Amino acid sequence: MTAKIAYGDVEVGAELPAQTFPVTRATLVQYAGASGDFNPIHWNEKFAKEVGLPDVIAHGMFTMAEAIRVVTDWTGDPAAVVEYGVRFTKPVVVPNDDQGATIEVSGKVAAKLDDNKVRVDLIVKSAGQKVLGMSRAVVQLA
Amino acid sequence: MALDQSFVGRSYPPTDPYEVGREKIREFAEAVGDINPAYLDPEAAKALGHSDVIAPPTFVFAISFKAAGQVIADPQLGLDYSRVVHGDQKFAYSRPVRAGDRLTVTSTIEAIKSMAGNEILDIRGEVHDEAGEHVVTAWTKLVARGADSEEGEA
């Protein structure tokens, strides 16, 4: 593990570079295939509405995968992530148009831990609402 | 109907090994739009000290959740999967998953709770490699929704 960020260079409150990730219906079909999660709420509008959703929604695990990229792009080596957890609080609704939805992720160092580890808290939003709660990673720095 | 509390602590037999392939990792990384060379290029992964390409942090969910299917489909537990949404997910890694791994998962029911008409099931999946070494633990909280709940997502 060779994170490019040194523990000694990081202060509590430091912000990680924020990122924005687009998600369209095509993205969800591709993720369904790659992940093996073919739940129709992620690709079938008729089915999604029948079960009470406003429209097709993104896989929660897709949003979780995007959010941690703010950390793995920061550290360079993704193996720096030693713990990662989220709560799925709101769905990312993905309309059937060219724009789709957008997942906005920001993060900051919330605590410095032992053994050159830090805790990073992530804020993950779509359409102005938080879609993940308690989104936290423990990261091994150099 | 409330889930049977006596299932707390129950473990299920380890799954057959899942062999992690380079191209499956590539497919997953491309699906999430992440072109980190550690996922795609064995030489880049080696430069970071890994023996082969590694998988993105959430890749292992496909393996651990399939294993959790043993719990979800256990007729004795009696979970109504048509009402289930994914509440929380957490991973703790001893090392990253990498190409060539042959991974087995042992699922355990950690907790069963009833809250506001919902049934909440916590499943822990311990993922080990062929040598028996711990790779990652995946905790999955499933919520079987009562009629009026709107929280969570699948």
Side-chain angles (χ1 to χ4, degrees):
Chain A
M1 207 289 299
T2 40
K4 65 187 179 190
I5 305 291
Y7 180 80
D9 293 342
V10 171
E11 299 301 332
V12 170
E15 293 187 6
L16 282 62
Q19 294 193 56
T20 299
F21 305 102
V23 46
T24 66
R25 293 289 179 86
T27 316
L28 298 184
V29 171
Q30 190 176 357
Y31 184 79
S35 68
D37 182 345
F38 295 101
N39 188 329
I41 62 174
H42 305 305
W43 52 269
N44 184 330
E45 192 168 312
K46 177 171 171 285
F47 183 91
K49 288 180 174 171
E50 278 172 7
V51 299
L53 295 165
D55 204 334
V56 162
I57 64 170
H59 303 73
M61 290 304 301
F62 175 84
T63 304
M64 187 177 185
E66 296 303 330
I68 198 64
R69 288 175 59 188
V70 163
V71 177
T72 56
D73 285 353
W74 181 57
T75 59
D77 187 351
V81 177
V82 294
E83 285 184 33
Y84 177 35
V86 305
R87 172 162 295 168
F88 303 106
T89 49
K90 292 280 182 197
V92 174
V93 177
V94 182
N96 186 22
D97 59 25
D98 294 340
Q99 303 297 316
T102 301
I103 299 167
E104 300 153 34
V105 185
S106 60
K108 65 178 182 183
V109 176
K112 294 187 81 169
L113 312 175
D114 292 342
D115 302 324
N116 287 5
K117 291 174 186 164
V118 296
R119 195 186 92 212
V120 172
D121 288 359
L122 298 167
I123 295 175
V124 185
K125 292 183 173 180
S126 185
Q129 285 200 307
K130 277 180 83 169
V131 293
L132 299 181
M134 306 286 289
S135 185
R136 294 174 170 184
V138 175
V139 184
Q140 178 73 61
L141 299 180
Chain B
M1 193 178 70
L3 297 174
D4 185 347
Q5 287 287 335
S6 73
F7 278 71
V8 175
R10 177 172 297 205
S11 286
Y12 290 75
T15 56
D16 290 336
Y18 174 102
E19 185 164 331
V20 179
R22 279 182 185 170
E23 297 305 327
K24 189 64 195 178
I25 290 174
R26 174 187 299 277
E27 182 187 356
F28 185 91
E30 288 177 349
V32 297
D34 192 342
I35 55 164
N36 192 313
Y39 304 145
L40 306 176
D41 176 2
E43 295 308 315
K46 282 173 191 162
L48 293 170
H50 307 301
S51 59
D52 204 326
V53 290
I54 63 171
T58 63
F59 174 88
V60 75
F61 180 77
I63 305 167
S64 69
F65 190 65
K66 191 175 176 192
Q70 287 175 292
V71 182
I72 293 163
D74 184 340
Q76 291 183 304
L77 179 64
L79 185 69
D80 178 2
Y81 189 62
S82 70
R83 292 191 302 127
V84 167
V85 296
H86 197 177
D88 293 35
Q89 181 62 40
K90 185 181 173 189
F91 303 99
Y93 308 87
S94 290
R95 66 164 176 84
V97 169
R98 58 181 174 245
D101 274 340
R102 289 170 56 82
L103 303 176
T104 58
V105 187
T106 304
S107 298
T108 300
I109 298 178
E110 271 201 342
I112 295 173
K113 289 173 197 146
S114 293
M115 207 182 287
N118 297 329
E119 298 284 340
I120 299 166
L121 180 65
D122 287 304
I123 302 169
R124 183 182 74 243
E126 299 280 358
V127 181
H128 291 89
D129 65 17
E130 205 166 23
E133 298 291 325
H134 179 260
V135 178
V136 52
T137 299
W139 289 269
T140 299
K141 185 186 292 290
L142 298 177
V143 182
R145 291 189 290 180
D148 297 328
S149 172
E150 290 179 356
E151 286 296 303
E153 93 183 68

